[in-house]
Structures are given as C-alpha cells and as structure tokens.
Amino acid sequence: MLHLRLITPAGQTDNVCRLVRETVGTTHLVVLPGAARDPVGDVVMCDVAREAGNDLLSGLQRLGLETSGSIAVENIELSLSERADRAEAETPGESADAVVWEHLTEETHEESTLSVTYLSFMTLATMIAACGVVLDNAILIVGAMAVGPEFGPLVGVSTAVVRRRPQLALRSVIALLVGFAVAMAVTVGFSLLMDAFGLFTEAQLEGERPQTGFVYAPDWLSFVVAVLAGTAGTLSLTSAKSGALVGVAISVTTIPAAANAAVALSYGDAGQTWGSTQQLLLNLLGITLAGVLTLLTQKLFWGRPLKPLRRFSGSGS
C-alpha cells in the first residue's frame, strides 16, 4: 500500500476527495480542513493499493495539485486493516508487478545526482577493484562491485528514455561520465603511488590472472550477463525489491573494468587499457539497453490504466 498526504486549496478539496473515492483500491480517506499553513489549504490523506497508485497520481496531476498544493507519497510497510485488505483485493494485478512511475523517476533522479558522496563511492570502489585486479583477488573484485553506485545513473538513463525526460537523461549521463573519469584518474595516481611503495608491480598486472583476467577480455557472454543483470536490477527497483540490487551489482564488471584500465594505463599497457575500456562500454550498453526494454515491457503490459470503480456515493469531503 501507498500513503498519500495531499495539501489542497480549499476550492479543490471536494474534487480531490471525489477522485480518491472513485479510484479503485483507495481507502482510509482523511480530511483536515484548514490544517495546512504553507501552502494554505486543507490536508487530505488516504491509502491506495500500489497497483492503483499511477491512476490516482495521474488524476491528481491533472487537477494541477502538484502546482497549487502538494503531493507526498510514502510506502506503507505494515497495514493492519480489513479495509486495506479489501482495497488491495479489488484492485486488478499484483503489487509486486506495479510500477509507480513518478516514484521511479524521483528515485533515479536522486541516484543520478553528481555529488561528493557519489564521486567518493565511485573512486573508493575503483581503487578497491584496482587492488583486486593486481592481486588477482576475486573477493576484492566482488566487494568493489557492491560498493560502486553506477547502477543508479544507468537506470536513470533508461527511465529518461522511456519517460522522455531529457533533463534526467543529461543528468544521468553527466554523472556516469564524470564519475568514471574522476574515479579512473584518481586510480591512476593511486596505482603509481602503490607502485612507488612496492605494493603494485607491473609483473603482477601482466602475469597470469585466472580470477580477474576476464575484466580486460570482453566477449558476447559479458554482454549477455550485463543484459540479464540490467533486467534484474530494473525489476528490483520498479517492484521495490531492492534486496536484489546487491546481486545485480556483483554480476557486472563496470567498476573492475574501469579499475583495470586505470592500472594498465599507469603502466602504459595499451592492450589491457583498451580491452578493459571495451569491457566497460559493453557492460554500460547492455545494462542500459536491458533497462529500456524492461521498462517498455512493464509500461506495455502492467502500466495500463485501471477502470475507475465508484465505491462511495456523494461528492462532499
């Protein structure tokens, strides 16, 4: 279930309440006349089944409430209510399949913000991966994959394409380009420093690396894994099953490939630098393509509007 807290101008409250009543899957309607101070208006609260969330939000936006008032949405982790159970039961579809598009857009917008924290995680993940590729340590590689925050901007690009949001696309692409550029540049310096202390050697990079040699040897299997991981990651975001994201993060080789390219560049190894760059680009392409196709499929099959169902009579608040 989703919980909506709305601030409505007094003249719109009746229309908002009517929309809530007529939308299938809604319950627990509460109206607090004159409770809002900034902006001035009434406070309207209700719960709605996740499957019906898009219909209700679209209707509220058509009423101009996002401009004249406010729309706030929260996930309800626990609801002990027979009314809520009935509201979910009468709503077609399953909550796990429902995509709340505005929530997805907002979430990817936040994940695609180019911030100090984002750059720090990108850089730290790449440096950890650099240690992993030089030491041929798969555990460090997995750890670096889990730390890397690059999946957010990648889903941001996919969401922007499907929802036709050029500003979100630009924001996500900038976060990706700047994030990888900064992380790789710092990792080059880190590699040179580690070499100066005798902790990294060119022989380690060039030697047999059965655990991590794949990061500079791209093939079609790498692309297939990226597509599968991108699909799983997108589904985990749209269905609010974020626990699957950890598995997605350790399935793709974006961060390890960037790290290997940086270390190879510090030693002047053009072959590994180019191979790692290809691996990086192949994974970025696969994840983005999978995200776009997954969201388009969800929009086609699970994003159809529900038929309104009037469950109450009257139009007053």
Side-chain angles (χ1 to χ4, degrees):
M1 296 287 289
L2 301 174
H3 177 70
L4 272 65
R5 187 188 73 247
L6 314 172
I7 298 178
T8 72
Q12 284 189 295
T13 301
D14 285 351
N15 291 331
V16 169
C17 291
R18 185 181 301 111
L19 174 64
V20 172
R21 290 189 180 103
E22 292 179 349
T23 301
V24 62
T26 58
T27 187
H28 302 154
L29 176 62
V30 176
V31 180
L32 303 175
R37 294 294 180 266
D38 184 18
V40 174
D42 303 330
V43 174
V44 178
M45 294 180 286
C46 69
D47 297 337
V48 60
R50 184 180 175 87
E51 307 92 292
N54 281 316
D55 282 356
L56 183 54
L57 289 174
S58 296
L60 293 171
Q61 288 174 309
R62 285 194 295 271
L63 291 176
L65 198 60
E66 61 183 357
T67 302
S68 60
S70 170
I71 304 172
V73 184
E74 298 175 336
N75 283 309
I76 299 177
E77 299 298 333
L78 176 63
S79 178
L80 303 179
S81 166
E82 291 186 0
R83 284 180 173 271
D85 293 341
R86 287 199 300 270
E88 288 191 312
E90 70 186 16
T91 309
E94 296 294 333
S95 62
D97 295 337
V99 182
V100 183
W101 292 103
E102 290 299 332
H103 180 271
L104 176 63
T105 302
E106 181 64 23
E107 185 174 2
T108 53
H109 183 274
E110 293 179 2
E111 293 292 331
S112 302
T113 301
L114 184 61
S115 63
V116 173
T117 301
Y118 170 82
L119 290 176
S120 297
F121 274 114
M122 282 288 287
T123 302
L124 290 170
T126 308
M127 289 193 292
I128 293 172
C131 295
V133 297
V134 172
L135 298 175
D136 194 36
N137 188 315
I139 295 177
L140 292 177
I141 292 295
V142 171
M145 290 175 176
V147 171
E150 76 282 5
F151 192 77
L154 286 170
V155 178
V157 173
S158 301
T159 303
V161 171
V162 173
R163 301 215 68 198
R164 299 178 182 179
R165 300 287 181 88
Q167 290 185 338
L168 177 58
L170 179 61
R171 187 188 190 96
S172 301
V173 170
I174 290 175
L176 283 171
L177 294 179
V178 175
F180 275 110
V182 170
M184 293 174 71
V186 173
T187 302
V188 169
F190 173 72
S191 300
L192 294 173
L193 181 64
M194 296 290 280
D195 181 77
F197 282 104
L199 298 175
F200 282 7
T201 65
E202 187 173 2
Q204 288 175 301
L205 181 71
E206 302 295 344
E208 290 292 327
R209 288 160 50 195
Q211 299 294 322
T212 60
F214 66 92
V215 298
Y216 61 90
D219 54 25
W220 281 108
L221 184 58
S222 300
F223 181 74
V224 170
V225 171
V227 169
L228 295 175
T231 302
T234 304
L235 284 173
S236 71
L237 284 176
T238 57
S239 63
K241 295 184 180 296
S242 58
L245 282 177
V246 176
V248 172
I250 61 178
S251 300
V252 293
T253 55
T254 49
I255 292 293
N260 198 85
V263 176
L265 183 62
S266 71
Y267 284 114
D269 186 334
Q272 284 202 37
T273 300
W274 175 236
S276 301
T277 302
Q278 287 181 303
Q279 180 76 277
L280 173 61
L281 295 175
L282 197 64
N283 276 269
L284 294 177
L285 175 62
I287 295 172
T288 304
L289 178 62
V292 170
L293 294 177
T294 301
L295 291 175
L296 285 175
T297 301
Q298 290 178 297
K299 189 175 182 180
L300 177 63
F301 290 102
W302 300 325
R304 295 170 182 172
L306 305 173
K307 293 182 179 180
L309 176 65
R310 184 180 294 274
R311 297 183 291 109
F312 299 95
S313 61
S315 60
S317 60

